[in-house]
Each structure stands twice: as structure tokens, then as C-alpha cells.
Amino acid sequence: MPDPASNVNAEQATRQAFRQQLRLRRQALSQQEQKRASEQVSERLLDYITANSHQRIALFFANDGEINLVPLVNALWQQQRQTAAPILHPVCAGHLLFLAYHANSLMHENRFGIPEPVLRCDEVMPLSQLDLILTPLVGFDAAGNRLGMGGGFYDRTLSGWAQGRYPNLSVAGVAHDCQFVDTLPHAAWDVPLPTIITPSKTLSF
Ligand SMILES: Nc1ncnc2c1ncn2[C@@H]1O[C@H](COP(=O)(O)OP(=O)(O)O)[C@@H](O)[C@H]1O
Ligand SMILES: [Mg+2]
């Protein structure tokens, strides 16, 4: 009989292999390719946000070859839309907490070296106050499955949303086109994405 523990280990090893391969792909993009991806995806996201009248948008700061969303932030501020950014949750380990992000936000780097706003209680934006959360990802597939960096942070943070607790909240993944693979391994806790936006495509699942 197959040992269930060895199946779990095999699945983890497959995920790790995908992560390694896909992270290398995005790290290999040139500065010029990154700049173009950043401009194109920002334009596409702005169209999506405008079409859906989203006012309060959580985004992320690029790390490890992810797409730089600074052009989007500037465009959103020009349109008087509110932005938020995730921080590692100070109380619930493994979760994210969203804080308002504005031109005067005091920033620091978290333990992964990712910039985040310094915690201020009056800046907390619960999921119920957000219209859209943009998630980074390492890989996505033809069914909208998402592979992250391996911490499960977005899976935990979005599990209530995936169960229908925030019907007014939209979630969209942002990725380079080269993050695509036909089929990714996925587990019960993985939260799939209904929308993924790349420099060349706006995908719905
Ligand atoms: N909702 C959740 N509740 C408890 N643990 C979770 C939850 N979501 C993910 N995890 C745990 O986080 C770990 C990493 O998740 P994984 O999906 O592999 O990472 P990522 O989504 O970053 O690729 C897994 O071991 C998983 O058990
Ligand atoms: Mg996951």
C-alpha cells in the first residue's frame, strides 16, 4: 500500500521544483523586459480597476523578479483611488494584514527583505474595506491555480474570502507571462484566482 506520508513529500518536492524553475525564469528577465512588463501590466490593471470601479486596492512591492507596480500606484493616486499594502500579520502568524499605503507612509523591510508600511492601528484596512487585492505569484496554470513562494500567506489570508465571506472583494493575480504552466499541483488549502493579469493578457477562470 502506498505510504500517504511519502505522497505528501513527493507533492512538496514537485511544488519546490516548479518554484525553483519559475523563479529562475522571472529572475532571468532583463531590466528592459522588467520595465516593459511593469508598464504593460500597470496599464492593463488600470483598465481592469477602472472598468470595475474599484476604489481601494491592495497591491504588493516587487521582490525576486516580480512585476514592479509603482507605475500603477502613481496612476491610481492621480485618480484619487486609495492603495494598501500587505504586512506580515503582527498577531496571526502566517497571515497578512493590509495597511493603507500613501505617499507619506513610513516604510521598513520585513524579515523577507520586502518593503512594508510600518504598523499603525489607524491605517489597518480589513478585507471588508478593500475592493481589490492584487497578489503576487510564482506560477499559475490554465485553471487559475496559484503557486506562491511557499509560505502559504495569501492562502491563509484569503481563505475566508474563498469561502464567500467577502462578496464585494475581488482578487486578481499579477504575473509575467513566463510564469504560466499548463497544470500546477494544488491542494485543498490553495486559493485559486478568478482573474490573472499579465503584461499581455487579462485572464478569467
Ligand atoms: N488556510 C490555511 N490554513 C493552514 N495552513 C495553511 C493554509 N494555507 C496554507 N497553509 C500551509 O502553508 C504551507 C505553504 O502553503 P503552499 O500552498 O505550499 O504555499 P504557497 O501558496 O505560498 O505556494 C502549507 O504547508 C500549508 O499547509
Ligand atoms: Mg498555496
Side-chain angles (χ1 to χ4, degrees):
M1 215 168 84
D3 171 7
S6 76
N7 278 348
V8 171
N9 289 341
E11 173 121 358
Q12 284 305 330
T14 311
R15 280 173 180 254
Q16 271 311 103
F18 272 113
R19 279 191 191 102
Q20 198 177 5
Q21 182 199 355
L22 291 164
R23 286 179 62 187
L24 285 174
R25 276 192 206 168
R26 69 182 184 191
Q27 288 165 6
L29 296 168
S30 69
Q31 263 187 22
Q32 208 170 353
E33 286 169 324
Q34 281 286 2
K35 185 166 182 282
R36 202 169 146 72
S38 168
E39 289 163 359
Q40 289 179 334
V41 95
S42 292
E43 211 168 299
R44 217 166 249 289
L45 284 165
L46 198 59
D47 286 348
Y48 173 80
I49 288 163
T50 310
N52 290 286
S53 303
H54 292 141
Q55 285 303 320
R56 291 160 301 186
I57 299 111
L59 30 81
F60 57 88
F61 292 100
N63 172 49
D64 193 60
E66 291 164 355
I67 301 187
N68 173 16
L69 297 179
V70 168
L72 173 68
V73 172
N74 289 325
L76 293 175
W77 288 351
Q78 268 180 18
Q79 295 186 355
Q80 320 301 328
R81 295 181 208 268
Q82 229 182 314
T83 51
I87 69 167
L88 299 175
H89 202 294
V91 179
C92 304
H95 288 246
L96 300 169
L97 179 69
F98 293 94
L99 255 57
Y101 172 64
H102 41 76
N104 302 322
S105 290
L106 202 56
M107 305 293 290
H108 72 153
E109 279 188 6
N110 67 21
R111 63 185 152 91
F112 299 112
I114 302 170
E116 59 176 43
V118 172
L119 176 59
R120 278 186 45 167
C121 292
D122 57 351
E123 302 276 32
V124 172
M125 292 181 77
L127 265 57
S128 56
Q129 278 178 29
L130 291 167
D131 299 317
L132 173 66
I133 294 178
L134 298 176
T135 79
L137 56 85
V138 172
F140 66 99
D141 72 10
N145 290 307
R146 170 183 182 277
L147 183 74
M149 291 282 276
F153 287 93
Y154 281 93
D155 289 330
R156 288 191 197 84
T157 306
L158 296 176
S159 67
W161 169 79
Q163 290 160 32
R165 275 190 28 216
Y166 304 94
N168 298 323
L169 172 64
S170 298
V171 177
V174 181
H176 292 286
D177 289 284
C178 65
Q179 307 305 118
F180 174 78
V181 291
D182 287 330
T183 312
L184 278 174
H186 55 278
W189 66 77
D190 284 314
V191 175
L193 299 167
T195 306
I196 294 176
I197 299 178
T198 73
S200 74
K201 292 186 186 74
T202 300
L203 302 158
S204 305
F205 302 96

